Amino acid sequence: MAPTEPDTAVAATRRTPLSFELYPPRTDAAAIALGRTIDRLADVDPAFISVTFGAGGSSRDRSLTVLRYILENTTVEPMAHLTCVGSSHAEANELVRKFQDAGIRSFLALRGDPPAGSDPDAPLGDLASAAELVQLIHRVQQEREPFDQVAVEGNPGASRIRERTRKTEVAVAAFPTGHPQSRDLSRDVDILLAKQVAGANLAITQLFWEASDYLGFVERARAAGVTIPILPGIMPTTTSKRLARLTELTGVQPPASFAIALEVEPDPAAQTELGIAFAARLAAEVIAGGAPGLHLYTYNRHEAVLDVVERLGLGAPHQLANERNTAR
Ligand code: FAD
C-alpha cells in the first residue's frame, strides 16, 4: 500500500513549541558560523536551545561559551546538557554551580557514556545515573537561592523573603526504541519514571524514525504514571553518510526504504529534499498524535531544521521575526 501523505501544515499549529539542539564548536571558524546559526534559530522564537556537553567534561568551557552567547544575544532560554559519568560528588557540585553562576537555569541531566573500550563493570563515579544528577541540580540551586526578595507593599525600600517560586528546569533523556543497555522497553519507562520522581520536569527523546515508536512509548509512559511532557527529538538527515553515522551512534535503525532512497539518490539537492520531507512528515505525525512540541537536532546547521519548521506551517523565520517586531 502506498503511504498516504499527511497534511503537514494542518497537523502542526503555530502554537507548537519548538526547541533546538547544538553542540559546541571545535574551531574559531565554526564558532563564528554557529553564532549566525543561533541568530537564525532564535528568529523562530524557540522555547529553548540546548547545548551538548562532552562526556567527562571535555567540552565544558566551549559549551558554556555557546550558552552565554544565547543568554546575552537572544531572548531564548539556553539549556545546558550536563553529564555525570566519572564525576565525584564534589566535582559534580562544582560543575552545576559554575553553570548556575553563569546564569543558566535550564539543564538536561544525563548520565553520559563511559569512554569507548572501558571496563563495562567499572564504577561510573559517585553519581551513577541521570536521576541522581537531577536531584543534585535541584539541591545546588536550592542551596544557592533558597529565598526570593519581594518588596513590602506600602513600605518603600523594605523587602521580605519568600520561598523561591522560579524553579530550575531539569530535563532528562528518554528512549522510545530502548536504551542500548536496556533489557526491555518497560525498563526504559521505569527509568524515566525514576527521573521524574527525582525532580525532572521535561523529557526529550532520542531520535526515532517511526511515529508509532514515539507515540507507543508515550502511551506506555503515561500508563506507568509519567506525567511530564515528553518532547519528540527529530533530526532532518540529508546524507546517507550522516544516516549511517547516526545509526552507529544511537543504535536506532532507520527504515530501509529511507536509507536506500538516500543511498541511491545521486543529486545532493534531491537528497536534502528527501531528508527534509521525511523529518517534516514524521514531525507532523507525532504532533497530530499529541506531541507537546518539537525538539530538532540541528547538527549546528539552521537550513534543514528551518525548512522543516516552515514546511510544518510553523512560520517562515523572517515572517515570525517581522510579526514580533511589529507587535512590540
Ligand atoms: P540514565 O537515565 O541514567 O540511564 C541509562 C541506562 O542505564 C538505563 O536505560 C538503564 O539501562 C541504566 N540504568 C539507569 N539507572 C539505573 C538503575 N537505577 N538501575 C539499573 N540500571 C539503570 N551524552 C553526552 O555525553 N552528552 C550530551 O550532551 C548528551 N545529550 C543527549 C541528549 C539526548 C536528548 C539524549 C537522548 C542523549 C544524550 N546523550 C548525551 C547520551 C546519553 O548520555 C547516553 O545515552 C547515556 O548512555 C544514557 O544517559 P541517560 O541520561 O539516559 O542515563
Side-chain angles (χ1 to χ4, degrees):
M1 194 173 73
T4 47
E5 284 292 315
D7 185 346
T8 48
V10 172
T13 74
R14 284 287 307 279
R15 287 179 297 279
T16 303
L18 294 167
S19 51
F20 299 108
E21 180 184 295
L22 304 170
Y23 60 86
R26 291 185 191 91
T27 64
D28 289 348
I32 292 166
L34 186 60
R36 280 197 294 273
T37 286
I38 292 170
D39 297 344
R40 297 296 304 277
L41 296 175
D43 277 348
V44 293
D45 203 17
F48 62 87
I49 296 179
S50 76
V51 181
T52 65
F53 186 84
S58 54
S59 74
R60 187 184 73 175
D61 293 341
R62 285 180 291 123
S63 297
L64 208 42
T65 302
V66 179
L67 291 158
R68 280 207 185 96
Y69 181 92
I70 298 168
L71 198 59
E72 288 163 12
N73 296 282
T74 75
T75 54
V76 181
E77 176 82 12
M79 177 184 280
H81 296 210
L82 287 184
T83 68
C84 52
V85 157
S87 302
S88 66
H89 272 297
E91 285 163 349
N93 229 290
E94 196 212 313
L95 180 68
V96 173
R97 216 165 256 281
K98 189 173 168 87
F99 277 66
Q100 291 184 341
D101 284 347
I104 306 303
R105 292 292 177 274
S106 292
F107 295 91
L108 175 52
L110 300 144
R111 189 197 65 182
D113 287 311
S118 60
D119 175 2
D121 297 323
L124 291 172
D126 285 348
L127 302 175
S129 73
E132 291 178 43
L133 182 58
V134 172
Q135 285 176 321
L136 179 78
I137 292 169
H138 282 303
R139 203 165 49 240
V140 173
Q141 177 65 14
Q142 187 66 23
E143 281 165 13
R144 281 171 60 91
E145 303 177 25
F147 299 108
D148 243 349
Q149 297 277 346
V150 286
V152 176
E153 238 177 274
N155 193 351
S159 66
R160 66 182 171 81
I161 53 176
R162 73 162 178 216
E163 206 162 333
R164 179 157 283 284
T165 47
R166 191 189 161 203
K167 275 191 163 173
T168 299
E169 296 292 326
V170 187
V172 290
F175 296 83
T177 56
H179 185 275
Q181 284 178 317
S182 189
R183 284 191 305 273
D184 59 65
L185 290 180
S186 68
R187 176 104 185 129
D188 295 280
V189 168
D190 292 346
I191 300 280
L192 181 57
L193 189 58
K195 296 188 212 184
Q196 173 179 294
V197 170
N201 29 41
L202 176 71
I204 303 177
T205 75
Q206 177 63 287
L207 52 79
F208 57 90
W209 303 103
E210 308 273 1
S212 57
D213 286 332
Y214 167 80
L215 296 171
F217 177 77
V218 172
E219 202 179 314
R220 290 195 306 281
R222 297 288 175 247
V226 175
T227 54
I228 57 176
I230 302 174
L231 280 183
I234 290 179
M235 181 172 203
T237 309
T238 53
T239 67
S240 56
K241 193 172 161 204
R242 171 117 0 116
L243 187 64
R245 180 79 183 122
L246 279 176
T247 309
E248 189 190 329
L249 282 174
T250 62
V252 186
Q253 289 297 327
S257 56
F258 177 53
I260 292 167
L262 266 187
E263 176 83 46
V264 300
E265 175 53 63
D267 176 15
Q271 282 183 13
T272 301
E273 171 54 29
L274 278 172
I276 290 168
F278 187 94
R281 197 160 50 237
L282 184 59
E285 285 171 3
V286 293
I287 292 169
L294 194 58
H295 185 71
L296 291 166
Y297 295 107
T298 68
Y299 216 76
N300 281 12
R301 302 291 301 254
H302 55 272
E303 298 87 347
V305 291
L306 292 182
D307 270 355
V308 171
V309 166
E310 192 167 358
R311 224 166 268 206
L312 287 165
L314 294 169
H318 58 278
Q319 282 170 350
L320 281 179
N322 289 341
E323 279 170 27
R324 279 211 309 279
N325 289 339
T326 40
R328 275 187 192 129

